[in-house]
């Protein structure tokens, strides 16, 4: 059994004047959401054998917030291919994961993360997949499980989406209307 977790970066600031999209930081709501997700990881006792993240500023700051909320380091490695990656590129990274790892957390961007869920889970496979189809909000954590022995065996429509937790599910103040 192999398990992939996907975490989309938290809400970034469009008000901060940066030259490159890559350098956009989180806004205050994004920092709160990242810490909230970290507390969720702590409360659910979720741990990852391998964490691979985009090196974009908003992802690094998301990881900082998650780690603060979780009260522990995640030990992320960074791979520039994740920045704005397509689902096939993300799947290549999954296939390259160390054989001994059972759980993998990818931290990155949309639409790649959302598209990876659509690639790896069967169409019409449940309520959670329908929620992804509606929207994959910032700072949302998804989990897919695969009944395979090796990461290289993960293939299209072979997974089951077992978790889709949005910040607003954990704290309604982090919802779209802020209530």
């Amino acid at each position: 059994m192999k398990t992939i977790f996907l975490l989309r970066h938290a809400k970034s600031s469009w008000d901060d004047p940066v030259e490159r999209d890559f350098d956009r930081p989180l806004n205050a709501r994004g920092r709160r959401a990242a810490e909230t997700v970290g507390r969720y990881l702590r409360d659910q006792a979720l741990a990852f054998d391998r964490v691979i993240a985009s090196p974009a500023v908003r992802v690094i700051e998301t990881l900082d917030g998650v780690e603060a909320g979780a009260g522990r380091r995640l030990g992320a490695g960074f791979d520039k291919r994740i920045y704005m990656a397509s689902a096939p590129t993300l799947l290549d990274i999954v296939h390259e994961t160390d054989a001994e790892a059972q759980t993998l957390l990818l931290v990155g961007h949309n639409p790649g993360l959302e598209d990876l869920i659509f690639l790896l889970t069967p169409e019409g496979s449940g309520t959670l997949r329908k929620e992804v189809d509606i929207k994959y909000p910032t700072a949302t954590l998804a989990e897919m499980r695969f009944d395979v022995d090796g990461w290289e065996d993960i293939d299209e429509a072979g997974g089951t989406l077992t978790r889709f937790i949005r910040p607003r599910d954990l704290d309604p103040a982090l919802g779209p209307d802020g209530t």
Side-chain angles (χ1 to χ4, degrees):
M1 178 70 74
K2 299 291 185 186
T3 304
I4 301 172
F5 289 86
L6 304 175
L7 177 62
R8 185 176 175 201
H9 67 78
K11 193 156 200 62
S12 60
S13 174
W14 289 94
D15 297 334
D16 219 336
V18 293
E19 286 188 28
R20 303 182 312 160
D21 175 73
F22 188 86
D23 297 323
R24 252 187 315 117
L26 296 184
N27 65 20
R29 185 168 147 194
R31 287 190 294 277
R32 285 192 320 271
E35 287 188 24
T36 299
V37 170
R39 287 190 296 276
Y40 175 80
L41 295 181
R42 180 196 65 213
D43 295 347
Q44 296 293 310
L46 291 175
F48 315 103
D49 297 325
R50 184 94 161 89
V51 179
I52 307 171
S54 161
V57 169
R58 60 192 177 272
V59 172
I60 292 168
E61 290 182 357
T62 296
L63 284 167
D64 289 344
V66 168
E67 290 173 341
R72 63 182 162 87
R73 304 280 302 153
L74 297 179
F78 295 94
D79 188 327
K80 192 164 185 168
R81 292 179 295 170
I82 295 177
Y83 177 68
M84 306 307 255
S86 66
T89 298
L90 293 170
L91 185 56
D92 287 344
I93 293 167
V94 168
H95 287 159
E96 295 167 7
T97 302
D98 302 331
E100 64 274 0
Q102 299 302 308
T103 58
L104 169 66
L105 171 64
L106 295 177
V107 188
H109 312 267
N110 243 4
L113 295 178
E114 179 178 315
D115 290 344
L116 186 63
I117 291 172
F118 295 140
L119 179 68
L120 296 180
T121 61
E123 188 173 340
S125 60
T127 304
L128 293 179
R129 195 172 191 277
K130 288 178 187 173
E131 291 295 319
V132 175
D133 195 29
I134 293 168
K135 186 172 184 182
Y136 194 127
T138 53
T140 293
L141 179 71
E143 176 184 3
M144 294 180 289
R145 293 179 180 241
F146 301 85
D147 190 14
V148 297
D149 294 325
W151 293 105
E152 67 280 357
D153 300 323
I154 291 176
D155 202 3
E156 291 182 28
T160 303
L161 184 62
T162 56
R163 186 184 320 250
F164 188 67
I165 300 295
R166 300 164 293 207
R168 71 174 180 231
D169 299 329
L170 305 172
D171 179 353
L174 294 169
D177 58 6
T179 60

